Amino acid sequence: MSASSVPWPRWIRERVADALADAVALLLPVACAGCDEPDRALCASCRSALRPRPRRTMTDDIVIVSGLDFDGVAARVIRALKEDGRTSLANALAPALTAAVAAFGHSGAVVVPVPTSRAAYRRRGYRVPETVAARAGIPVARLLRLTRRTADQRGLDRDGRRRNVAGSMRASRAQGLRVLLLDDVVTTGATLAEAARALREGGAEVVGAVTIAATGRRFAHSVHPPDTTRFHA
């Protein structure tokens, strides 16, 4: 078998894709993802605006800790990572995820990312939560998979989002594990609730969830107000 025909592991293919995307970003004209200042991917002021500010909220019976509020600079940077292929920005977002995991305080739990749809992966070439987790040095385990297509969650209200994702995930190899869910942004918590359901049916104990950011809408629907004293970095 020739070297060119050897099937490379998925993690190697994804690391190569990230490296190529970063190299292209260096060769093309760039502007700050947070404020459009020219000739820099992220200016010092916008980088400072990404200083972690962990907040806690709850959806159903899932405690969620998020590293940033999804607004202003943070929202623009996350959108640039998700929609514009600017994977180098994952480095700037990694501290927010690290802070969220540290603030949660459940050492020993397996970090399980919410699965990315095939359509989103084909469009981007990478999985956003896993890309940021890799830059943060946080190992993850893909124990969840999608069992059917779902509509775009944007534009749906809380109930619509829940109906859209209901029954859309299945867990494997989860029996007996303590799990901490991972996603990029939490809005209503519908996706995390579905992921938790699938993992619990697969025999896992879901201790909670961490996200890079949470929307103001998420905090507006908190079961308990964010504990800003305990969870500020």
Side-chain angles (χ1 to χ4, degrees):
M1 180 182 292
S2 67
S4 61
S5 62
V6 174
W8 293 99
R10 179 180 293 174
W11 70 270
I12 292 180
R13 298 198 304 271
E14 292 181 353
R15 291 290 178 86
V16 170
D18 281 353
L20 288 173
D22 288 349
V24 169
L26 290 174
L27 295 174
L28 296 176
V30 68
C32 175
C35 68
D36 293 327
E37 181 177 342
D39 300 326
R40 59 193 63 204
L42 194 65
C43 72
S45 177
C46 289
R47 189 175 295 275
S48 177
L50 296 179
R51 183 181 65 85
R53 296 175 295 278
R55 304 281 299 277
R56 182 168 87 163
T57 185
M58 182 174 286
T59 183
D60 297 327
D61 57 349
I62 306 170
V63 175
I64 306 166
V65 178
S66 304
L68 296 165
D69 292 346
F70 187 74
D71 60 10
V73 170
R76 293 192 66 181
V77 170
I78 292 170
R79 289 190 186 107
L81 169 61
K82 294 182 69 170
E83 307 304 334
D84 300 336
R86 298 180 62 174
T87 55
S88 63
L89 296 171
N91 293 322
L93 293 169
L97 182 57
T98 299
V101 172
F104 202 96
H106 275 270
S107 60
V110 178
V111 178
V112 176
V114 169
T116 300
S117 71
R118 291 182 180 180
Y121 183 71
R122 284 195 301 268
R123 184 173 71 253
R124 296 182 183 127
Y126 54 92
R127 297 171 175 85
V128 173
E130 294 179 46
T131 297
V132 177
R135 304 296 173 89
I138 299 171
V140 302
R142 291 181 191 160
L143 306 184
L144 289 167
R145 64 182 179 88
L146 293 170
T147 58
R148 63 173 178 81
R149 290 184 179 181
T150 58
D152 191 331
Q153 293 277 69
R154 289 174 296 185
L156 298 178
D157 62 15
R158 185 183 180 89
D159 291 338
R161 287 175 179 240
R162 287 183 179 276
R163 290 193 298 269
N164 184 41
V165 299
S168 65
M169 298 182 199
R170 181 174 297 172
S172 60
R173 300 176 287 112
Q175 183 69 43
L177 295 180
R178 297 174 70 251
V179 167
L180 185 63
L181 282 164
L182 165 66
D183 205 356
D184 50 10
V185 179
V186 58
T187 301
T188 65
T191 301
L192 289 173
E194 168 58 18
R197 178 206 61 78
L199 283 162
R200 287 165 178 159
E201 286 191 359
E205 175 192 356
V206 178
V207 299
V210 290
T211 67
I212 302 165
T215 65
R217 180 180 180 186
R218 168 67 256 161
F219 291 124
H221 288 87
S222 298
V223 176
H224 301 293
D227 186 345
T228 56
T229 301
R230 179 180 175 185
F231 286 92
H232 267 302

mmCIF file of all heavy atoms in Angstrom, residues 121-152:
data_model
loop_
_atom_site.group_PDB
_atom_site.id
_atom_site.type_symbol
_atom_site.label_atom_id
_atom_site.label_comp_id
_atom_site.label_asym_id
_atom_site.label_seq_id
_atom_site.Cartn_x
_atom_site.Cartn_y
_atom_site.Cartn_z
ATOM 1 N N TYR A 121 -20.532 20.837 8.972
ATOM 2 C CA TYR A 121 -19.140 20.393 8.858
ATOM 3 C C TYR A 121 -18.644 20.499 7.419
ATOM 4 O O TYR A 121 -17.506 20.912 7.169
ATOM 5 C CB TYR A 121 -18.994 18.965 9.362
ATOM 6 C CG TYR A 121 -17.564 18.491 9.329
ATOM 7 C CD1 TYR A 121 -16.632 18.990 10.223
ATOM 8 C CD2 TYR A 121 -17.152 17.568 8.379
ATOM 9 C CE1 TYR A 121 -15.303 18.575 10.188
ATOM 10 C CE2 TYR A 121 -15.829 17.148 8.334
ATOM 11 C CZ TYR A 121 -14.920 17.653 9.239
ATOM 12 O OH TYR A 121 -13.607 17.252 9.186
ATOM 13 N N ARG A 122 -19.500 20.146 6.463
ATOM 14 C CA ARG A 122 -19.102 20.281 5.057
ATOM 15 C C ARG A 122 -18.861 21.741 4.701
ATOM 16 O O ARG A 122 -17.939 22.070 3.948
ATOM 17 C CB ARG A 122 -20.183 19.697 4.137
ATOM 18 C CG ARG A 122 -20.210 18.186 4.077
ATOM 19 C CD ARG A 122 -21.027 17.706 2.892
ATOM 20 N NE ARG A 122 -22.394 18.184 2.936
ATOM 21 C CZ ARG A 122 -23.405 17.523 3.479
ATOM 22 N NH1 ARG A 122 -23.187 16.349 4.055
ATOM 23 N NH2 ARG A 122 -24.628 18.014 3.467
ATOM 24 N N ARG A 123 -19.687 22.624 5.241
ATOM 25 C CA ARG A 123 -19.558 24.046 4.932
ATOM 26 C C ARG A 123 -18.297 24.651 5.549
ATOM 27 O O ARG A 123 -17.602 25.445 4.915
ATOM 28 C CB ARG A 123 -20.794 24.789 5.444
ATOM 29 C CG ARG A 123 -20.821 26.273 5.101
ATOM 30 C CD ARG A 123 -22.153 26.909 5.480
ATOM 31 N NE ARG A 123 -22.342 27.028 6.915
ATOM 32 C CZ ARG A 123 -23.174 26.278 7.631
ATOM 33 N NH1 ARG A 123 -23.910 25.347 7.045
ATOM 34 N NH2 ARG A 123 -23.300 26.458 8.944
ATOM 35 N N ARG A 124 -17.990 24.251 6.793
ATOM 36 C CA ARG A 124 -16.858 24.864 7.491
ATOM 37 C C ARG A 124 -15.561 24.078 7.335
ATOM 38 O O ARG A 124 -14.481 24.648 7.246
ATOM 39 C CB ARG A 124 -17.180 24.968 8.990
ATOM 40 C CG ARG A 124 -18.346 25.866 9.322
ATOM 41 C CD ARG A 124 -18.535 25.939 10.828
ATOM 42 N NE ARG A 124 -19.701 26.731 11.170
ATOM 43 C CZ ARG A 124 -20.687 26.312 11.961
ATOM 44 N NH1 ARG A 124 -20.630 25.118 12.511
ATOM 45 N NH2 ARG A 124 -21.728 27.092 12.209
ATOM 46 N N GLY A 125 -15.683 22.762 7.396
ATOM 47 C CA GLY A 125 -14.484 21.935 7.399
ATOM 48 C C GLY A 125 -13.922 21.707 8.787
ATOM 49 O O GLY A 125 -12.860 21.094 8.945
ATOM 50 N N TYR A 126 -14.609 22.151 9.822
ATOM 51 C CA TYR A 126 -14.168 21.950 11.196
ATOM 52 C C TYR A 126 -15.367 22.066 12.116
ATOM 53 O O TYR A 126 -16.419 22.586 11.736
ATOM 54 C CB TYR A 126 -13.093 22.973 11.598
ATOM 55 C CG TYR A 126 -13.496 24.413 11.375
ATOM 56 C CD1 TYR A 126 -14.103 25.170 12.375
ATOM 57 C CD2 TYR A 126 -13.292 25.028 10.136
ATOM 58 C CE1 TYR A 126 -14.484 26.484 12.166
ATOM 59 C CE2 TYR A 126 -13.671 26.343 9.908
ATOM 60 C CZ TYR A 126 -14.256 27.062 10.926
ATOM 61 O OH TYR A 126 -14.643 28.357 10.709
ATOM 62 N N ARG A 127 -15.182 21.566 13.351
ATOM 63 C CA ARG A 127 -16.229 21.617 14.369
ATOM 64 C C ARG A 127 -15.854 22.688 15.380
ATOM 65 O O ARG A 127 -14.817 22.572 16.045
ATOM 66 C CB ARG A 127 -16.379 20.245 15.033
ATOM 67 C CG ARG A 127 -16.814 19.156 14.067
ATOM 68 C CD ARG A 127 -16.738 17.771 14.705
ATOM 69 N NE ARG A 127 -17.258 16.757 13.813
ATOM 70 C CZ ARG A 127 -16.551 16.158 12.861
ATOM 71 N NH1 ARG A 127 -15.269 16.467 12.691
ATOM 72 N NH2 ARG A 127 -17.096 15.247 12.083
ATOM 73 N N VAL A 128 -16.678 23.701 15.519
ATOM 74 C CA VAL A 128 -16.312 24.875 16.301
ATOM 75 C C VAL A 128 -15.989 24.548 17.766
ATOM 76 O O VAL A 128 -14.907 24.912 18.257
ATOM 77 C CB VAL A 128 -17.401 25.963 16.205
ATOM 78 C CG1 VAL A 128 -17.100 27.117 17.156
ATOM 79 C CG2 VAL A 128 -17.503 26.474 14.760
ATOM 80 N N PRO A 129 -16.877 23.881 18.522
ATOM 81 C CA PRO A 129 -16.543 23.628 19.931
ATOM 82 C C PRO A 129 -15.258 22.817 20.086
ATOM 83 O O PRO A 129 -14.445 23.093 20.972
ATOM 84 C CB PRO A 129 -17.761 22.856 20.450
ATOM 85 C CG PRO A 129 -18.876 23.218 19.525
ATOM 86 C CD PRO A 129 -18.224 23.369 18.183
ATOM 87 N N GLU A 130 -15.064 21.832 19.204
ATOM 88 C CA GLU A 130 -13.885 20.986 19.306
ATOM 89 C C GLU A 130 -12.615 21.733 18.915
ATOM 90 O O GLU A 130 -11.538 21.480 19.467
ATOM 91 C CB GLU A 130 -14.068 19.740 18.446
ATOM 92 C CG GLU A 130 -15.172 18.832 18.964
ATOM 93 C CD GLU A 130 -15.376 17.606 18.094
ATOM 94 O OE1 GLU A 130 -14.371 16.974 17.731
ATOM 95 O OE2 GLU A 130 -16.538 17.294 17.769
ATOM 96 N N THR A 131 -12.728 22.650 17.975
ATOM 97 C CA THR A 131 -11.571 23.442 17.575
ATOM 98 C C THR A 131 -11.092 24.306 18.728
ATOM 99 O O THR A 131 -9.889 24.385 19.017
ATOM 100 C CB THR A 131 -11.913 24.320 16.360
ATOM 101 O OG1 THR A 131 -12.248 23.483 15.249
ATOM 102 C CG2 THR A 131 -10.738 25.197 15.964
ATOM 103 N N VAL A 132 -12.022 24.955 19.413
ATOM 104 C CA VAL A 132 -11.649 25.795 20.556
ATOM 105 C C VAL A 132 -11.130 24.920 21.700
ATOM 106 O O VAL A 132 -10.145 25.272 22.361
ATOM 107 C CB VAL A 132 -12.831 26.661 21.010
ATOM 108 C CG1 VAL A 132 -12.463 27.481 22.247
ATOM 109 C CG2 VAL A 132 -13.275 27.590 19.880
ATOM 110 N N ALA A 133 -11.760 23.778 21.927
ATOM 111 C CA ALA A 133 -11.299 22.878 22.988
ATOM 112 C C ALA A 133 -9.868 22.412 22.717
ATOM 113 O O ALA A 133 -9.047 22.330 23.640
ATOM 114 C CB ALA A 133 -12.234 21.680 23.097
ATOM 115 N N ALA A 134 -9.554 22.127 21.456
ATOM 116 C CA ALA A 134 -8.201 21.691 21.112
ATOM 117 C C ALA A 134 -7.184 22.781 21.412
ATOM 118 O O ALA A 134 -6.098 22.521 21.938
ATOM 119 C CB ALA A 134 -8.137 21.296 19.640
ATOM 120 N N ARG A 135 -7.523 24.036 21.084
ATOM 121 C CA ARG A 135 -6.606 25.149 21.350
ATOM 122 C C ARG A 135 -6.462 25.378 22.858
ATOM 123 O O ARG A 135 -5.447 25.896 23.314
ATOM 124 C CB ARG A 135 -7.108 26.423 20.680
ATOM 125 C CG ARG A 135 -7.321 26.287 19.182
ATOM 126 C CD ARG A 135 -6.048 26.021 18.397
ATOM 127 N NE ARG A 135 -6.319 25.733 17.005
ATOM 128 C CZ ARG A 135 -6.392 26.646 16.053
ATOM 129 N NH1 ARG A 135 -6.228 27.932 16.358
ATOM 130 N NH2 ARG A 135 -6.639 26.296 14.813
ATOM 131 N N ALA A 136 -7.490 25.001 23.626
ATOM 132 C CA ALA A 136 -7.439 25.151 25.084
ATOM 133 C C ALA A 136 -6.782 23.955 25.757
ATOM 134 O O ALA A 136 -6.596 23.959 26.983
ATOM 135 C CB ALA A 136 -8.854 25.343 25.636
ATOM 136 N N GLY A 137 -6.454 22.928 24.987
ATOM 137 C CA GLY A 137 -5.850 21.736 25.556
ATOM 138 C C GLY A 137 -6.828 20.878 26.332
ATOM 139 O O GLY A 137 -6.435 20.140 27.249
ATOM 140 N N ILE A 138 -8.113 20.965 25.969
ATOM 141 C CA ILE A 138 -9.154 20.192 26.659
ATOM 142 C C ILE A 138 -9.530 18.984 25.792
ATOM 143 O O ILE A 138 -10.079 19.151 24.701
ATOM 144 C CB ILE A 138 -10.402 21.050 26.909
ATOM 145 C CG1 ILE A 138 -10.049 22.238 27.806
ATOM 146 C CG2 ILE A 138 -11.531 20.221 27.523
ATOM 147 C CD1 ILE A 138 -11.167 23.268 27.928
ATOM 148 N N PRO A 139 -9.238 17.760 26.236
ATOM 149 C CA PRO A 139 -9.609 16.583 25.444
ATOM 150 C C PRO A 139 -11.111 16.371 25.464
ATOM 151 O O PRO A 139 -11.781 16.652 26.466
ATOM 152 C CB PRO A 139 -8.873 15.440 26.145
ATOM 153 C CG PRO A 139 -8.687 15.907 27.551
ATOM 154 C CD PRO A 139 -8.533 17.404 27.487
ATOM 155 N N VAL A 140 -11.645 15.908 24.348
ATOM 156 C CA VAL A 140 -13.080 15.657 24.256
ATOM 157 C C VAL A 140 -13.315 14.234 23.749
ATOM 158 O O VAL A 140 -12.426 13.619 23.158
ATOM 159 C CB VAL A 140 -13.781 16.659 23.311
ATOM 160 C CG1 VAL A 140 -13.563 18.090 23.782
ATOM 161 C CG2 VAL A 140 -13.308 16.489 21.868
ATOM 162 N N ALA A 141 -14.511 13.740 23.998
ATOM 163 C CA ALA A 141 -14.913 12.415 23.526
ATOM 164 C C ALA A 141 -16.223 12.549 22.763
ATOM 165 O O ALA A 141 -17.200 13.073 23.316
ATOM 166 C CB ALA A 141 -15.080 11.451 24.696
ATOM 167 N N ARG A 142 -16.253 12.105 21.523
ATOM 168 C CA ARG A 142 -17.469 12.175 20.715
ATOM 169 C C ARG A 142 -18.359 10.968 21.024
ATOM 170 O O ARG A 142 -18.243 9.912 20.414
ATOM 171 C CB ARG A 142 -17.126 12.182 19.225
ATOM 172 C CG ARG A 142 -16.445 13.446 18.763
ATOM 173 C CD ARG A 142 -16.171 13.371 17.274
ATOM 174 N NE ARG A 142 -15.287 14.440 16.849
ATOM 175 C CZ ARG A 142 -14.582 14.427 15.736
ATOM 176 N NH1 ARG A 142 -14.651 13.372 14.927
ATOM 177 N NH2 ARG A 142 -13.802 15.441 15.410
ATOM 178 N N LEU A 143 -19.232 11.171 21.972
ATOM 179 C CA LEU A 143 -20.144 10.104 22.378
ATOM 180 C C LEU A 143 -21.545 10.307 21.818
ATOM 181 O O LEU A 143 -22.411 9.445 22.000
ATOM 182 C CB LEU A 143 -20.226 10.024 23.905
ATOM 183 C CG LEU A 143 -18.896 9.882 24.659
ATOM 184 C CD1 LEU A 143 -19.161 9.724 26.144
ATOM 185 C CD2 LEU A 143 -18.086 8.714 24.125
ATOM 186 N N LEU A 144 -21.779 11.443 21.155
ATOM 187 C CA LEU A 144 -23.102 11.757 20.622
ATOM 188 C C LEU A 144 -23.070 11.807 19.108
ATOM 189 O O LEU A 144 -22.090 12.244 18.502
ATOM 190 C CB LEU A 144 -23.570 13.120 21.144
ATOM 191 C CG LEU A 144 -23.960 13.209 22.611
ATOM 192 C CD1 LEU A 144 -24.079 14.668 23.039
ATOM 193 C CD2 LEU A 144 -25.266 12.470 22.871
ATOM 194 N N ARG A 145 -24.156 11.379 18.493
ATOM 195 C CA ARG A 145 -24.304 11.528 17.042
ATOM 196 C C ARG A 145 -25.734 11.941 16.732
ATOM 197 O O ARG A 145 -26.666 11.652 17.499
ATOM 198 C CB ARG A 145 -23.956 10.239 16.299
ATOM 199 C CG ARG A 145 -24.870 9.065 16.591
ATOM 200 C CD ARG A 145 -24.420 7.835 15.841
ATOM 201 N NE ARG A 145 -25.264 6.679 16.127
ATOM 202 C CZ ARG A 145 -26.368 6.386 15.454
ATOM 203 N NH1 ARG A 145 -26.781 7.180 14.459
ATOM 204 N NH2 ARG A 145 -27.088 5.324 15.765
ATOM 205 N N LEU A 146 -25.888 12.628 15.614
ATOM 206 C CA LEU A 146 -27.208 13.035 15.162
ATOM 207 C C LEU A 146 -27.886 11.893 14.442
ATOM 208 O O LEU A 146 -27.258 11.198 13.635
ATOM 209 C CB LEU A 146 -27.095 14.252 14.242
ATOM 210 C CG LEU A 146 -26.608 15.544 14.909
ATOM 211 C CD1 LEU A 146 -26.308 16.605 13.854
ATOM 212 C CD2 LEU A 146 -27.647 16.063 15.888
ATOM 213 N N THR A 147 -29.158 11.697 14.726
ATOM 214 C CA THR A 147 -29.903 10.600 14.095
ATOM 215 C C THR A 147 -30.840 11.085 13.003
ATOM 216 O O THR A 147 -31.414 10.281 12.283
ATOM 217 C CB THR A 147 -30.722 9.845 15.152
ATOM 218 O OG1 THR A 147 -31.611 10.767 15.802
ATOM 219 C CG2 THR A 147 -29.798 9.217 16.195
ATOM 220 N N ARG A 148 -31.019 12.386 12.897
ATOM 221 C CA ARG A 148 -31.858 12.952 11.847
ATOM 222 C C ARG A 148 -31.476 14.402 11.621
ATOM 223 O O ARG A 148 -30.792 15.012 12.446
ATOM 224 C CB ARG A 148 -33.344 12.870 12.213
ATOM 225 C CG ARG A 148 -33.736 13.676 13.441
ATOM 226 C CD ARG A 148 -35.228 13.681 13.655
ATOM 227 N NE ARG A 148 -35.626 14.397 14.849
ATOM 228 C CZ ARG A 148 -35.752 15.721 14.923
ATOM 229 N NH1 ARG A 148 -35.506 16.480 13.852
ATOM 230 N NH2 ARG A 148 -36.126 16.301 16.049
ATOM 231 N N ARG A 149 -31.907 14.938 10.495
ATOM 232 C CA ARG A 149 -31.648 16.337 10.212
ATOM 233 C C ARG A 149 -32.559 17.229 11.050
ATOM 234 O O ARG A 149 -33.688 16.865 11.357
ATOM 235 C CB ARG A 149 -31.879 16.634 8.729
ATOM 236 C CG ARG A 149 -30.847 16.015 7.803
ATOM 237 C CD ARG A 149 -31.111 16.440 6.372
ATOM 238 N NE ARG A 149 -30.122 15.895 5.453
ATOM 239 C CZ ARG A 149 -30.109 16.129 4.151
ATOM 240 N NH1 ARG A 149 -31.054 16.904 3.603
ATOM 241 N NH2 ARG A 149 -29.171 15.601 3.388
ATOM 242 N N THR A 150 -32.041 18.393 11.389
ATOM 243 C CA THR A 150 -32.841 19.397 12.086
ATOM 244 C C THR A 150 -32.768 20.706 11.306
ATOM 245 O O THR A 150 -31.838 20.933 10.528
ATOM 246 C CB THR A 150 -32.321 19.635 13.525
ATOM 247 O OG1 THR A 150 -30.959 20.052 13.465
ATOM 248 C CG2 THR A 150 -32.438 18.367 14.349
ATOM 249 N N ALA A 151 -33.746 21.560 11.520
ATOM 250 C CA ALA A 151 -33.753 22.869 10.856
ATOM 251 C C ALA A 151 -32.778 23.798 11.562
ATOM 252 O O ALA A 151 -32.340 23.543 12.687
ATOM 253 C CB ALA A 151 -35.156 23.464 10.883
ATOM 254 N N ASP A 152 -32.428 24.894 10.895
ATOM 255 C CA ASP A 152 -31.602 25.928 11.511
ATOM 256 C C ASP A 152 -32.347 26.489 12.720
ATOM 257 O O ASP A 152 -33.520 26.867 12.624
ATOM 258 C CB ASP A 152 -31.338 27.038 10.490
ATOM 259 C CG ASP A 152 -30.263 28.020 10.955
ATOM 260 O OD1 ASP A 152 -30.118 28.213 12.173
ATOM 261 O OD2 ASP A 152 -29.594 28.600 10.075
#
